[in-house]
Every structure is written in structure tokens, then in C-alpha cells.
């Protein structure tokens, strides 16, 4: 009996045939588009198949260009994956160099983990409250651990390197604490490459190996070469100078400037011939730095030339009843002066002649003036009256000379008495200049001078001066700071203006002072005319100070156990 087909069945058969035909057509289109490159397919996808249809070479445009494009992309992907070759395994890294330093005590290890974890915690903002700021204690913890000679725990090296990456002030102490294992780990992670740049090259290539030193100097990155030069300079200044001379003429100007700066360490008379040649360098900045270094050598030929020029401008004036200082500033800046580092063009707002005079006096050995003024001491010279309102310019130049030549007698003379009104003494009233002069004195004298300054003038001008004092502050200095803070609180002063000094006190006061400061943590009644909330702020600030000092004492004890 003949088979009959219903209309529904016929339609289904027809749809199946159409689907099969479409699939076959799509497969054919994909196969034809397989001749197109991946770049051509990407271009067509980005511009759209309407604007840039994926047309196979020598073939028609597919009926469904979009579907054909996707199929061709899938085909390319499978083809590419199928053609991949197994990766060649890299050589395993050499193990880290041994670190013979002793391990941290367990309590200290937990403390470091806590400090590093707190570093990554989000800041609450607003008022700090009475809790210590742990992030500010990391530098002191690292300094103490390095002083005790401990090695970093392996598990804490990654957060330690992350902390050093985020804060450049941590890097010297963090890298010293991390030791050879930290450097080894930094070599495996590009995020920590700063450690390789900042580490002393002697740690990676012993500077006792001339071949390794020469290879690194010739082939190393710039930062590695700077670190290498510093390391060699610290051990053998003459060898560093020889190393620098081998490539000096081929270096870039900015690199020559950085290399020249490395000569500040161990600067001596043996460096003079090299620096004299650098006075003729094609870079103005290199010439100026060479002149600055030579002027720090009192016996150098440049210092003699500058002294001859300066003493032709500054002389004793004995025409009156007593000796004074007469000044006749130079009228020109000749080629010889410019070669010796005198900048001819003054900054905006400065007169040419005073600008030239200041540079001559700054580069003149300070002993010249004691001889020039009849054997007077530095204290006597700086108190001589100066004619024609040249005192400010002359004293400022002497301050710069004292800093450059690291002369404590002249620094002491120019600082004057700390209790004297700032504008009435010799030298300079500039706090920045005084900070530089203080840095020349020994630690005990420095702390004593600043303590007397605070007692006489308060804390408003003392922040920079405190920054050059050794930590922890000596007893008289610490007591002077606390007494001044107490006076400011009792006087109803605006409390937030002392937050910087309070932060310094948290890091720099002797932790043994904590018990004595306990009495200052009590809240006071609001005074009439005082800033709203000042009493609560002062109480919080002193509570935080005491808590921080006690925490620092605990940290010190943990590192002693």
C-alpha cells in the first residue's frame, strides 16, 4: 500500500533539509573564511560586517556574514591551540644566599606582623583618637631590629617588601633587615625591583672581586652602577675614582652629575685633579657640582682662587674708632669666575652684584676670614658691624659656607645664643638655615641648643629644629617640648596647630617619660575663649602620646628577649 505524507510531516522534512543546508552552507563559508588572517577577522569585527564583510579570497560574501565570522574565529582559535608546542621549563632559580643573623624572638615576630598588617588597613580619617599610630612605628622597629642584628622572618618578607615599595623612607632599613633572602625574592617579582636598584651592589657582587665590579660597571643598569660606585667609594675612595674615570667621557650629562655626587663620601685632596677637569665639563650642572666639592676642600686651588676674589670684595675697615667690615661687591662675572662655578644670572628678584658676592664668600675657606680680620675668632668676626646694609648677604653666605665646609666653630658662632631674639643675633634668622647649622654640631650640643630655644621662644618655630635632633631626644630637650605643649594647652592655644610637634614627640621622646606624662592625660574644663573641643583634643593627644611611648618600650623589650 502506498505511503501517504501529511502536510505537517512534509513541512518538518522540508525544515530539516533547510537546516542541514544552512549548516552545510555555514560550514562551507567558515572553511572559506579560514583563508583570512586573524587580523582581517578582527578588523571586520571591529568595523562591523556591514561595513567590512569578511570576504574570502576569490569567493562571494557569505549570506550570514556575522555567523560566518564567528565560526571562522572559532576555527582560528582551535587551529592555534592545536599548534601550540609545550613550553620549555625555565631553570630553577638558585637558592638564596644564607643569612647567618639570628632569628627574631617570637614576640617581636608577632609585633612585626601586626605592624605590617596595620599598614594595609584603611585609614579612618578625621580625629586620630587616643590609639597609637602603628604605621609611624615601623621605621623605629626596623631600626632597632637592625641594630640588634636580627634577620627577617621568611614569611614576612612579602609584606615587608610591599611596605618598602609604598614608602621610600622605609627602604634603607627594610632592605637591610630583609637581607640576602629579600634581595633574592625581589629578583623574582617585578613589583619589588626597587630593592635591586636600592641595594648596595656589594651585596650582589662582592666588591673584592675586580672582575665582577668591572662587569657590573660596564653592563649594569644605571641605578646598579650608582650603588656600586657608592659601595666601592665607601671601601676605597681612590678605587672608586679610577672606576669612574674609565667611562667618564662617555657618560650622559645627567649620569655624570649623579656619579659626581657620589664623591661627597670620602672627599679628599686626591679627588682634586679629577674635579678640576670636571670644571670644564660641557654640562653646567656638572661644573657647578664640581666647584661645590672643590670649595669644600680648603687647600684646593679653586678655594684659593675664590678666596682671592672674595677678599678683594670684603675687607676690614679701620677708618673709624673700631674695626668694621667694608664690602664692595664684584662689578662683573668674568669667564674665570664662571668656570669656577659662579652662576652669572641671578634668580628673579636678586641683584647681580649681591648674587655674585654671595657665591664667592660661600666658596671661600672660613679660616681666611679669621686671618683677614687680625686673628679674630669666628664669634668675634660675625659680630663685627658690616657697612652699607651688606650684613644680611654676608652672614647668609657664611652660613652656607659653614654647612658646606662642616665647620662647627662657625656654625656655633652663626647660630648665636638660642635665647636671644631671632632678629638680633648674628648669622641668620631663617629656621631652615639654622637647622642646617645645627646638623653640624654633635648630638648633645644640638639637643641642648634646641631645648634652650624652645624654652625661650616656644614651639611655633621649632618644628624644623627638632627634626635634626637625635632620637630618642635627650632628657632636657624632651622636657622642654613637653613643658611647651603643657603651656600651650593651659594658655588655650589652638590645639591642632601643634599636631606636627605632637607626632614628633610620639616618635622621638624617650619612652621612659611615659609615667611622668600620665598626669597630662586628664581632661580639663573648657576655658573661656579657647577653641571649641580643645580640652578633649589635648586630652586625647596626651593619651595617645603616653600609649605610644609605652608601646615603644614594649617593642624595645621584645627585641631584647
Amino acid at each position: 500500500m502506498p505511503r501517504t505524507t501529511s502536510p505537517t510531516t512534509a513541512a518538518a522534512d522540508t525544515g530539516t533539509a533547510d537546516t542541514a543546508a544552512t549548516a552545510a552552507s555555514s560550514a562551507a563559508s567558515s572553511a572559506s573564511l579560514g583563508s583570512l588572517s586573524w587580523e582581517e577577522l578582527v578588523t571586520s569585527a571591529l568595523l562591523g560586517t556591514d561595513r567590512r564583510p569578511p570576504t574570502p579570497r576569490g569567493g562571494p560574501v557569505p549570506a550570514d556574514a556575522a555567523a560566518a565570522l564567528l565560526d571562522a574565529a572559532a576555527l582560528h582559535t582551535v587551529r592555534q591551540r592545536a599548534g601550540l608546542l609545550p613550553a620549555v621549563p625555565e631553570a630553577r632559580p638558585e637558592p638564596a644566599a644564607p643569612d647567618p643573623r639570628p632569628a627574631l624572638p617570637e614576640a617581636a615576630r608577632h609585633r612585626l606582623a601586626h605592624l605590617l598588617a596595620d599598614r594595609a588597613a584603611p585609614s579612618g580619617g578625621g580625629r586620630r583618637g587616643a590609639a597609637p599610630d602603628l604605621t609611624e612605628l615601623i621605621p623605629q622597629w626596623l631600626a632597632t631590629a637592625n641594630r640588634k642584628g636580627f634577620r627577617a622572618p621568611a614569611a614576612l618578607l612579602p609584606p615587608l617588601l610591599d611596605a618598602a615599595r609604598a614608602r621610600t623612607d622605609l627602604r634603607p632599613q627594610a632592605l637591610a633587615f630583609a637581607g640576602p633572602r629579600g634581595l633574592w625574592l625581589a629578583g623574582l617579582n617585578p613589583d619589588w625591583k626597587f630593592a635591586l636598584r636600592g641595594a648596595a651592589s656589594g651585596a650582589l657582587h662582592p666588591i673584592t672581586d675586580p672582575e665582577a665590579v668591572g662587569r657590573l660597571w660596564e653592563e649594569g643598569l644605571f641605578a646598579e652602577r650608582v650603588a656600586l660606585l657608592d659601595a666601592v667609594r665607601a671601601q676605597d675612595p681612590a678605587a672608586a675614582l679610577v672606576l669612574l674615570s674609565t667611562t667618564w667621557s662617555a657618560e650622559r650629562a645627567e649620569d655624570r652629575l649623579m656619579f659626581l655626587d657620589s664623591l661627597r663620601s670620602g672627599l679628599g685632596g686626591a679627588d682634586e685633579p679629577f674635579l678640576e677637569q670636571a670644571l670644564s665639563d660641557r654640562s653646567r650642572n656638572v661644573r657647578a657640582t664640581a666647584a661645590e666639592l672643590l670649595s669644600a676642600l680648603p687647600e684646593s686651588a679653586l678655594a684659593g682662587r675664590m678666596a682671592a676674589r672674595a677678599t678683594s670684595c670684603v675687607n676690614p675697615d679701620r677708618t673709624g674708632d673700631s674695626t668694621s667690615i667694608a664690602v664692595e661687591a664684584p662689578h662683573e662675572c668674568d669667564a674665570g669666575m664662571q668656570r669656577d662655578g659662579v652662576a652669572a644670572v641671578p634668580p628673579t628678584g636678586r641683584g647681580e652684584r649681591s648674587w655674585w658676592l654671595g657665591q664667592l664668600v660661600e666658596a671661600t675657606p672660613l679660616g681666611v676670614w679669621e686671618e683677614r680680620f687680625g686673628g679674630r675668632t669666628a664669634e668675634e668676626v660675625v659680630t663685627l658691624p658690616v657697612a652699607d646694609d651688606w650684613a644680611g648677604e654676608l652672614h647668609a653666605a657664611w652660613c652656607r659656607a659653614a654647612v658646606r665646609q662642616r665647620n662647627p666653630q662657625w656654625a656655633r658662632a652663626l647660630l648665636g645664643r638660642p635665647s636671644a631674639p631671632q632678629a638680633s643675633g648674628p648669622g641668620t634668622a631663617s629656621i631652615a638655615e639654622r637647622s642646617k647649622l645645627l646638623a653640624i654640631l654633635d648630638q648633645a650640643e644640638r639637643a641642648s641648643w634646641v631645648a634652650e630655644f624652645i624654652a625661650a621662644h616656644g614651639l611655633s618655630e621649632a618644628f624644623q629644629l627638632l627634626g635634626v635632633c637625635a632620637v630618642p631626644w635627650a632628657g632636657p630637650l624632651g622636657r622642654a617640648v613637653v613643658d611647651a605643649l603643657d603651656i600651650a594647652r593651659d594658655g588655650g592655644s589652638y590645639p591642632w596647630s601643634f599636631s606636627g610637634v605632637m607626632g614628633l614627640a610620639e616618635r622621638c621622646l624617650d619612652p621612659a617619660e611615659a609615667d611622668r606624662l600620665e598626669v597630662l592625660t586628664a581632661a580639663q574644663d573648657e576655658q573661656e575663649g579657647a577653641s571649641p573641643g580643645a580640652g578633649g583634643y589635648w586630652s586625647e593627644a596626651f593619651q595617645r602620646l603616653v600609649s605610644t611611648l609605652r608601646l615603644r618600650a614594649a617593642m624595645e623589650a621584645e627585641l631584647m628577649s
Side-chain angles (χ1 to χ4, degrees), residues 201-223:
S201 292
L204 300 176
H205 300 274
I207 59 177
T208 54
D209 183 352
E211 184 178 347
V213 169
R215 184 167 58 252
L216 183 60
W217 181 252
E218 294 288 343
E219 303 173 3
L221 300 174
F222 171 69

Side-chain angles (χ1 to χ4, degrees), residues 175-176 183 194-207 216 223-224 226-232:
L175 294 180
L183 292 180
F194 71 87
L196 303 179
R197 294 195 302 265
S201 292
L204 300 176
H205 300 274
I207 59 177
L216 183 60
E224 293 175 328
V226 171
L228 174 64
L229 187 63
D230 288 341
V232 176

